[in-house]
Amino acid sequence: MMRTRPLKVALLGCGVVGSEVARIMTTHADDLTARIGAPVELAGVAVRRPDRVREGIAPELVTTDATALVKRGDIDVVVEVIGGIEPARTLITTAFEHGASVVSANKALLAQDGAALHAAADEHDKDLYYEAAVAGAIPLIRPLRESLAGDKINRVMGIVNGTTNFILDKMDSTGAGYQEALDEATALGYAEADPTADVEGFDAAAKAAILAGIAFHTRVRLDDVYREGMTEVTAADFASAKEMGCTIKLLAICERAADGASVTARVHPAMIPLSHPLASVRGAYNAVFVESDAAGQLMFYGPGAGGSPTASAVLGDLVAVCRNRIGGATGPGESAYAALPVSPMGDVITRYHISLDVADKPGVLAQVATVFAEHGVSIDTVRQSGKDGEASLVVVTHRASDAALTGTVEALRKLDTVRGVASIMRVEGE
């Protein structure tokens, strides 16, 4: 039987994503009613600038008092798309206290305070859904915490920032330098005026924290994630990658240790073989590669940002939360029972590509090889070229710990025959 009393929704934020959420709620109202089993009504929209014209939204719904809106008591679901830590955190907890469930797209807040928000939701027997916080329209969080709930996930590796993927893809396909590719991304609207959060890996790190927590049933905070930006990636790095049959991507990698006793979460540029599915992800698209015991290898691919794609994820959560509301139930909350320790980056085992500027004379290769051997780092391949007394030496290692590689590089810098370390890059996706 169709419930006639509408479920009331409060929208916090009406920017690119919020305006799309409001538009879809209005234009697809009949379909949403049929799918939920009750009509949904936009009961209020909290904004900072009330004088701005918002097409399709009745002026009487607009307010600057977000706190009063979430405290009304008749709100069933609060949709938070304002971002940032405060006032979003206080508004979300206030919504729980006054009887509303929450749908959020706030990756930064969830990465920093996800445990506290889940605890507040549990205390008041309410839902906290956040599919839109990671990878835009791509269904990812729900498959990880529901579809794969009976499996053991060992690794989650992906491209979770469209801006950085666009820049790196442009550098790869055209030979452009970093700044040139960034300028094009900015002109096309893929990069913000201040792209720091994207290009320095902060955005991807927040998403990695969320994914690791869900995948490994362990609380992983933003501070637990190793982060390295992509601003130092050069055209020369891409040339080296091509010689190895690779390309370069900014990857978020969350993995369980081989013995299962710990996990790691990291974000950094990496060379990845052209044969790997992630290597073919172009432009501003996102993709996440999941490896588990029973399901094996899975890949989730699609648009990872933008108003409509992100709104799609928000509306999917809204439908689920409204259905739970009607049924008098709540969906899955935080699962952190495993409580595995998060290992530091020094413990991470991977391959490395190291480019050295060296003197072009006999014995240099032997000296370099000795340093690698003394630090327990096995060499896979070496390529040397040069003339007029200067040379370039490219070393690709077998798998080694980050700590061992760091010690190796420090020792190499002390050699008189090593003029400098041109670049160091991890090699992933074997």
Side-chain angles (χ1 to χ4, degrees):
M1 178 180 293
M2 181 71 69
R3 167 176 148 164
T4 57
R5 185 178 75 79
L7 291 155
K8 294 189 176 184
V9 178
L11 179 61
L12 307 183
C14 198
V16 173
V17 176
S19 59
E20 274 297 291
V21 170
R23 183 190 66 79
I24 295 171
M25 285 184 63
T26 301
T27 58
H28 295 180
D30 291 343
D31 286 337
L32 291 173
T33 296
R35 294 167 190 171
I36 292 169
V40 287
E41 172 189 320
L42 188 59
V45 182
V47 300
R48 285 185 296 177
R49 293 181 288 275
D51 297 333
R52 178 181 295 177
V53 175
R54 293 173 171 85
E55 187 177 348
I57 298 177
E60 61 269 20
L61 294 180
V62 177
T63 178
T64 57
D65 194 343
T67 301
L69 179 59
V70 300
K71 283 183 173 181
R72 273 178 38 173
D74 64 336
I75 299 297
D76 293 287
V77 184
V78 168
V79 174
E80 183 272 308
V81 287
I82 57 177
I85 305 301
E86 287 292 357
R89 174 171 49 198
T90 299
L91 290 170
I92 288 173
T93 55
T94 301
F96 292 142
E97 292 166 0
H98 287 79
S101 290
V102 173
V103 172
S104 176
N106 196 330
K107 55 187 170 288
L109 178 58
L110 289 158
Q112 178 173 306
D113 291 319
L117 294 178
H118 275 293
D122 290 344
E123 178 184 354
H124 298 284
D125 197 25
K126 296 294 178 288
D127 276 323
L128 173 62
Y129 276 47
Y130 42 91
E131 185 68 63
V134 179
I138 304 172
L140 183 59
I141 289 177
R142 193 170 291 122
L144 287 178
R145 73 176 185 177
E146 296 181 31
S147 304
L148 296 174
D151 206 344
K152 179 184 178 183
I153 297 173
N154 296 309
R155 198 174 203 227
V156 179
M157 179 172 74
I159 299 161
V160 294
N161 183 278
T163 299
T164 55
N165 199 58
F166 178 89
I167 293 170
L168 292 172
D169 182 40
K170 188 61 61 173
M171 293 175 69
D172 185 28
S173 60
T174 69
Y178 166 76
Q179 190 60 51
E180 183 183 352
L182 173 60
D183 290 344
E184 182 173 350
T186 303
L188 292 172
Y190 291 126
E192 301 287 346
D194 179 0
T196 303
D198 295 323
V199 300
E200 293 294 352
F202 291 100
D203 175 84
K207 296 169 181 176
I210 295 169
L211 292 175
I214 296 170
F216 306 131
H217 305 279
T218 292
R219 287 178 178 167
V220 179
R221 300 181 73 252
L222 182 58
D223 291 345
D224 296 321
V225 182
Y226 172 83
R227 177 194 55 78
E228 183 182 322
M230 49 157 281
T231 57
E232 300 301 318
V233 176
T234 66
D237 291 325
F238 274 101
S240 293
K242 287 181 179 180
E243 290 180 0
M244 291 180 58
C246 293
T247 188
I248 298 172
K249 300 292 187 182
L250 184 75
L251 298 178
I253 303 172
C254 314
E255 57 189 349
R256 190 188 301 268
D259 61 4
S262 64
V263 299
T264 58
R266 50 197 166 102
V267 169
H268 53 71
M271 293 182 179
I272 187 167
L274 295 175
S275 58
H276 194 283
L278 290 177
S280 61
V281 178
R282 310 302 297 270
Y285 275 71
N286 284 191
V288 178
F289 199 73
V290 178
E291 300 176 32
S292 68
D293 276 1
Q297 297 179 333
L298 307 168
M299 192 167 90
F300 301 84
Y301 169 86
S308 294
T310 306
S312 170
V314 170
L315 266 295
D317 277 351
L318 179 62
V319 169
V321 170
C322 286
R323 286 172 175 169
N324 291 343
R325 193 87 172 181
I326 292 173
T330 56
E334 182 188 35
S335 175
Y337 73 90
L340 296 171
V342 182
S343 296
M345 187 64 188
D347 293 347
V348 171
I349 307 294
T350 190
R351 297 176 67 206
Y352 292 87
H353 176 283
I354 305 103
S355 180
L356 304 172
D357 295 325
V358 299
D360 186 15
K361 62 182 185 180
V364 174
L365 180 55
Q367 285 184 324
V368 169
T370 297
V371 170
F372 275 88
E374 288 174 347
H375 288 80
V377 179
S378 176
I379 294 176
D380 182 18
T381 62
V382 178
R383 185 174 69 254
Q384 185 173 5
S385 61
K387 60 181 180 178
D388 299 328
E390 298 297 329
S392 173
L393 190 65
V394 175
V395 178
V396 180
T397 74
H398 288 290
R399 291 173 64 83
S401 72
D402 188 82
L405 196 282
T406 298
T408 301
V409 171
E410 289 176 353
L412 288 171
R413 293 183 193 277
K414 296 177 182 178
L415 293 178
D416 292 339
T417 51
V418 174
R419 310 297 194 217
V421 180
S423 69
I424 303 170
M425 191 166 295
R426 296 168 183 86
V427 181
E428 301 286 348
E430 298 172 83

